[in-house]
Amino acid sequence: MGRLSVIEWAMDLAKSTATRSTCLSRKVGCVLLDNRNHVIGTGYNGSASGLQHCSDNGVCYKRAKGYASGTGDEICPAIHAEVNAVIQCKDVYSIHTVYVTTSPCHTCTKMLLSTNAQIIYYFDDYVSLSGMEASKMWDNAGRKWIKLDRALYVGALTSVNTMALDEISKDFYKTVSDLLG
C-alpha cells in the first residue's frame, strides 16, 4: 500500500472525528488544515457544552417535534461540526482547506467564508434548500466546493495489513511493560 494522499488522510480524520458525534440524526466530522496541510482544528456535531446530548437520552429533539433532516435547526441543541472545528483555531485566517463528511449548511458556509478557507471537500450533501444555496454562495466567492465519491475513500486505512499492526501493538506494549518494570 502506498502513502495516502492528503485528501484521503484528511477525510479519514473527518470520518474518525464524526464517530464522536452525539447526534442521533447525522454524524458529521470536520477537519481544518492550513496551507501546509497541518491540522489546526477538528470538530463533530453535538450538543453545546453543558446541555444534554441526544445520544444520552435516546431522543432527537428535532425528530420528536416532527422536523425533517435539514430543518428545525433553531430548536436543535447541537453545534455543527464546522463551528466546533473553527472555535479551536487560534487564527481563523490560517484555515485553507475544510474536510467535512457532510457539506456545510448555509450558516456554516457564511462562517467559513469569513475565514481564508479556499476549498471544501465533502462526501454527502446537506439536504436542504439552504445547502444548495450554500454551494452557490461559496462558488460565487471564487472558492472550490468539491464533492468526493465516498466509495473511493471508504476504508482507505482498512487495506493496511492488520496482522502487521497487531504485531506492532504487541511490540509496543511489551516495550512499555519492560520500561515500567
Side-chain angles (χ1 to χ4, degrees), residues 84-151:
N84 278 324
V86 168
I87 62 176
Q88 288 183 13
C89 290
K90 290 181 182 177
D91 177 11
V92 297
Y93 300 109
S94 64
I95 301 169
H96 182 269
T97 311
V98 178
Y99 295 88
V100 63
T101 54
T102 300
S103 64
C105 70
H106 192 261
T107 301
C108 288
T109 300
K110 290 188 291 185
M111 176 192 62
L112 290 166
L113 280 167
S114 294
T115 72
N116 278 350
Q118 297 298 306
I119 306 167
I120 295 174
Y121 289 102
Y122 70 98
F123 286 134
D124 304 316
D125 291 310
Y126 185 80
V127 182
S128 73
L129 180 58
S130 71
M132 291 186 295
E133 290 301 316
S135 67
K136 290 178 188 173
M137 188 170 42
W138 191 262
D139 289 339
N140 288 339
R143 302 182 192 192
K144 296 178 184 174
W145 183 277
I146 302 170
K147 182 173 184 171
L148 300 172
D149 183 348
R150 184 182 283 271

